[in-house]
């Protein structure tokens, strides 16, 4: 019989974890699916690890990985994937926003021969207006950058062993699971689900965190921002020719003193464009630096 591994990243989730353990165990057992649950404690500061340990002691199918500090959800997903021994591996949030019934349907699709089953959001659940707008903008940019439709993508997925191996072999340090699982290809299908409301606890995303995440992933998948530098350069070349001719004409007709305002404006504009351009290039260089440093995505301090 084939084994399903479920990877569940958890960061300060003490409020919801006991329920997650129970709900998932019940539903998977009822469906007759042989499974293991891998909880990755992403450096929580509350009782999350304690709860995972308790659960693991009563049920041998539950595994726990504890990070030495908070490395972020992406790292937690990868640690779980690396640890999973199933013939197929599902990734889902442990706050029960990804419905467990859908997990069973994903497994059935896998049994029919699909190698990547992507959960796509039919509705985004309850979110503030600001969050909705910023998430919308982020996903539009991401869709442009990656070339895959990211607007409804989620981290709720089920991958065949072959796909898991492929994802784990991608060498980049700055990983973005959502896009990588599309990038690898394989026989893929989608399954729609409604994002549930969080059972307990609060969302772990701050606005600043989301912006950082957006910028980092756009840079990871696209060199378009660098072409902005070239574009700005071309626009300035054209302006330079026009202004140059005008200046020469003024000089030849003998009234060259005027135009101080133009000089100041040009200095200011060119100065800012230059600095923005340097910043963009600098961002890419810092990414190259991080990749070259080759630090691990995460450090595990405890296992159970
Ligand atoms: N998470 C994590 N590390 C983090 C932040 C979040 O492992 O640094 C986990 C969290 O425990 C949850 C999942 O990622 O299982 C999604 O997080 P959350 O529910 O806060 O995000 P949202 O659903 O609001 O997008
Ligand atoms: Mg959530």
């Amino acid at each position: 019989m084939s084994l399903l591994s479920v990877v569940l990243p958890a960061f300060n989730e003490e409020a919801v974890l006991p329920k997650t353990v129970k709900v998932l165990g019940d539903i998977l057992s009822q469906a007759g699916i042989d499974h293991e649950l891998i909880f990755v404690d992403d450096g929580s500061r509350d009782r999350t690890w304690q709860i995972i340990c308790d659960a693991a002691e009563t049920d041998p199918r539950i595994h726990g990985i504890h990070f030495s500090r908070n490395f972020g959800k992406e790292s937690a997903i990868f640690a779980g994937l690396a640890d999973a021994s199933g013939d197929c591996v599902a990734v889902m949030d442990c706050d029960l926003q990804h419905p467990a019934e859908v997990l069973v349907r994903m497994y059935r699709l896998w049994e029919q021969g699909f190698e990547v089953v992507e959960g796509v959001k039919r509705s985004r659940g309850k979110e503030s207006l600001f969050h909705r707008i910023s998430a919308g903008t982020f996903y539009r940019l991401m869709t442009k950058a990656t070339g895959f439709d990211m607007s409804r993508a989620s981290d709720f997925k089920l991958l065949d062993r072959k796909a898991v191996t492929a994802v784990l072999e991608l060498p980049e340090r700055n990983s973005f699971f959502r896009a990588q699982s599309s990038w690898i290809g394989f026989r893929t299908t989608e399954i729609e689900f409604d994002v549930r409301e969080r059972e307990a606890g609060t969302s772990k995303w701050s606005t600043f965190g989301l912006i950082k995440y957006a910028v980092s992933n756009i840079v990871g998948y696209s060199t378009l921002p660098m072409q902005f530098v070239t574009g700005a350069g071309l626009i300035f070349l054209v302006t330079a020719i026009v202004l140059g001719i005008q200046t020469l004409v003024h000089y030849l007709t003998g009234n060259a003193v005027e135009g101080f305002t133009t000089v100041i404006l040009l200095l200011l504009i060119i100065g800012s464009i230059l600095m923005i351009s340097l910043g963009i290039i600098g961002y890419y260089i810092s990414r190259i630096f991080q990749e070259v440093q080759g630090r691990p995505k995460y450090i595990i301090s405890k296992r159970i």
Side-chain angles (χ1 to χ4, degrees), residues 186-202:
F186 289 107
R187 194 163 166 230
T188 304
T189 186
E190 289 182 352
I191 185 164
E192 284 196 328
F193 71 96
D194 291 306
V195 178
R196 292 259 176 85
E197 258 185 69
R198 219 174 204 290
E199 288 282 336
T202 51

Side-chain angles (χ1 to χ4, degrees), residues 13-302:
E13 300 284 11
E14 62 177 3
V16 70
L17 260 187
K19 185 158 186 201
T20 313
V21 173
K22 190 169 177 326
V23 168
L24 275 180
D26 287 354
I27 287 189
L28 291 174
S29 302
Q30 260 170 33
I33 300 172
D34 199 13
H35 62 273
E36 62 173 5
L37 304 182
I38 300 167
F39 287 94
V40 186
D41 176 4
D42 186 9
S44 303
R45 282 175 288 269
D46 62 1
R47 293 187 54 252
T48 300
W49 181 244
Q50 195 49 51
I51 295 170
I52 295 173
C53 288
D54 292 348
E57 265 152 28
T58 53
D59 188 343
R61 289 171 303 186
I62 297 178
H63 302 235
I65 298 173
H66 182 73
F67 282 179
S68 59
R69 65 168 170 85
N70 180 244
F71 280 93
K73 185 181 176 186
E74 293 291 325
S75 298
I77 291 176
F78 277 82
L81 289 180
D83 199 62
S85 54
D87 303 289
C88 60
V89 184
V91 175
M92 65 193 288
D93 286 0
C94 71
D95 54 9
L96 294 174
Q97 281 190 293
H98 296 160
E101 305 80 58
V102 179
L103 181 63
V104 176
R105 281 166 54 210
M106 284 180 160
Y107 183 81
R108 300 286 174 235
L109 285 168
W110 174 77
E111 284 181 323
Q112 287 167 27
F114 288 102
E115 290 156 324
V116 177
V117 186
E118 313 222 22
V120 296
K121 297 171 190 161
R122 189 182 301 134
S123 59
R124 293 194 56 95
K126 251 202 184 149
E127 280 175 339
S128 71
L129 181 70
F130 177 75
H131 191 92
R132 194 177 294 267
I133 292 173
S134 48
T137 317
F138 165 54
Y139 285 114
R140 262 197 302 283
L141 286 172
M142 269 314 292
T143 304
K144 277 247 158 58
T146 58
F148 305 108
D149 181 13
M150 287 280 135
S151 60
R152 291 150 70 226
S154 72
D155 284 331
F156 188 20
K157 291 174 200 289
L158 187 141
L159 308 184
D160 181 72
R161 173 57 41 200
K162 273 185 281 180
V164 174
T165 311
V167 169
L168 286 174
E169 273 171 4
L170 297 178
E172 61 250 51
R173 304 284 133 202
N174 285 286
S175 45
F176 185 38
F177 179 64
R178 232 169 258 202
Q180 283 166 328
S181 58
S182 308
W183 186 89
I184 54 168
F186 289 107
R187 194 163 166 230
T188 304
T189 186
E190 289 182 352
I191 185 164
E192 284 196 328
F193 71 96
D194 291 306
V195 178
R196 292 259 176 85
E197 258 185 69
R198 219 174 204 290
E199 288 282 336
T202 51
S203 174
K204 306 295 175 290
W205 286 104
S206 63
T207 307
F208 182 67
L210 275 178
I211 294 174
K212 240 174 72 181
Y213 187 65
V215 172
S216 158
N217 289 321
I218 288 164
V219 167
Y221 275 84
S222 166
T223 51
L224 207 69
M226 288 219 261
Q227 272 133 48
F228 160 81
V229 178
T230 320
L234 285 176
I235 292 171
F236 270 86
L237 181 66
V238 174
T239 324
I241 293 171
V242 174
L243 278 177
I245 292 171
Q246 193 218 30
T247 313
L248 272 181
V249 170
H250 273 294
Y251 177 72
L252 292 176
T253 49
N255 39 16
V257 198
E258 262 177 68
F260 192 59
T261 320
T262 323
V263 171
I264 290 183
L265 283 180
L266 275 178
L267 264 179
L268 290 176
I269 296 170
I270 293 173
S272 15
I273 299 267
L274 269 180
M275 278 189 257
I276 293 173
S277 306
L278 277 178
I280 292 173
I281 297 168
Y283 202 92
Y284 278 91
I285 294 179
S286 71
R287 277 296 279 259
I288 299 172
F289 176 63
Q290 280 166 17
E291 295 291 335
V292 170
Q293 270 185 319
R295 296 212 173 138
K297 284 191 187 112
Y298 51 83
I299 296 169
I300 295 175
S301 72
K302 283 178 238 165

